Amino acid sequence: MRLTRKDGKGFYYSPEYNWLLSEEGMHELDYVSLSKVKWIYKYGWVRKKDPANSAKSTFILCREVGQPTGARFYMDGSDCSGSQLSEKSPAFLDARPLYADSTFFLLKHKNEISEDSQYRFTALDQRGKVMWELKEEEKSSLILLSIARNVPGKVFTYSIYRHKDKLILSSPNYPYRYRWVEMPRPDIAITEAFDLTTGKVLWRYSPNAVNLSE
């Protein structure tokens, strides 16, 4: 079954095997092989750069059919080869994706390009709408503060994952600051959880008996 989007882009849908492919994808795959594979939906937040300002980007959520291998969610893809699920997001300067899934997208960005401009964090829902934004003075998460400061990876590493309505941030080597220089502390591990809908920190835990205040 051939479907056509409002912008004229064509797709093919099979009710029998429940897959949706772009015309480009149909040229690359044959129908026989498609019928033998259990296909799944994959989701991606695709970046669209402003032609007049390459530092400015918007994002849209896309869904496409793929094989059940590799990542089911991806960030910052180059094109929406499947169905567009969200409206275009607001424009962000120097946007850097941090976490994405089919209903939530977290990125850090700036409001202006300058040396003293601070990174802030914005969360989008599956419609591309802003759920919440954390400015510099509102960042109660210690890990987000270090991410905003662009602490080098050799000093500070972290991971972000989702558990139901919470986002979990974890670092095995949370850094401390000495005379405004980030210093590695491999003996300090820290985990934080914050509410997915508000961005508020719910709890913080460190197995080390240390003072984690700024």
Side-chain angles (χ1 to χ4, degrees):
M1 179 189 303
R2 189 181 188 281
L3 306 174
T4 303
R5 210 164 57 186
K6 290 182 178 179
D7 60 3
K9 189 176 180 64
F11 298 89
Y12 289 90
Y13 174 68
S14 169
E16 181 180 1
Y17 301 112
N18 192 30
W19 51 254
L20 179 71
L21 286 177
S22 64
E23 290 181 327
E24 295 85 353
M26 283 295 293
H27 292 315
E28 297 175 1
L29 299 172
D30 63 90
Y31 190 85
V32 175
S33 65
L34 287 172
S35 65
K36 296 179 180 179
V37 176
K38 182 181 179 181
W39 296 85
I40 63 171
Y41 283 125
K42 293 189 175 185
Y43 299 83
W45 289 88
V46 175
R47 180 193 299 264
K48 298 294 183 181
K49 289 188 176 182
D50 187 336
N53 184 354
S54 60
K56 184 183 294 186
S57 303
T58 57
F59 294 86
I60 56 173
L61 175 62
C62 294
R63 182 180 68 186
E64 61 183 21
V65 172
Q67 296 187 25
T69 57
R72 186 158 189 168
F73 307 108
Y74 59 93
M75 295 181 290
D76 212 9
S78 59
D79 189 23
C80 183
S81 59
S83 304
Q84 179 176 327
L85 301 183
S86 74
E87 300 176 14
K88 187 169 61 175
S89 75
F92 301 103
L93 284 173
D94 193 18
R96 306 189 184 188
L98 298 175
Y99 174 84
D101 60 33
S102 61
T103 62
F104 183 81
F105 185 40
L106 177 65
L107 66 152
K108 73 174 185 177
H109 62 94
K110 293 182 176 181
N111 270 18
E112 59 181 20
I113 300 297
S114 64
E115 291 184 1
D116 57 350
S117 178
Q118 299 290 333
Y119 277 104
R120 55 184 62 192
F121 298 88
T122 294
L124 305 177
D125 63 15
Q126 66 267 35
R127 300 168 300 166
K129 303 295 186 182
V130 174
M131 298 173 62
W132 47 263
E133 181 181 79
L134 295 179
K135 302 177 183 178
E136 175 67 23
E137 63 274 13
E138 299 171 338
K139 299 188 190 83
S140 56
S141 165
L142 299 181
I143 295 179
L144 285 184
L145 276 171
S146 293
I147 295 174
R149 292 169 180 160
N150 281 332
V151 179
K154 62 182 179 181
V155 174
F156 167 64
T157 57
Y158 64 91
S159 59
I160 303 177
Y161 62 95
R162 180 176 177 174
H163 177 67
K164 297 182 179 179
D165 60 347
K166 300 179 181 65
L167 210 61
I168 311 299
L169 294 84
S170 181
S171 173
N173 57 345
Y174 178 74
Y176 74 101
R177 308 194 93 190
Y178 176 71
R179 294 181 180 177
W180 301 103
V181 177
E182 304 288 355
M183 306 292 289
R185 282 294 300 270
D187 58 320
I188 296 181
I190 179 175
T191 298
E192 298 177 323
F194 64 85
D195 190 318
L196 209 67
T197 60
T198 65
K200 302 298 183 182
V201 174
L202 300 174
W203 52 261
R204 177 181 297 123
Y205 171 75
S206 175
N208 315 86
V210 295
N211 181 11
L212 291 176
S213 61
E214 286 293 292

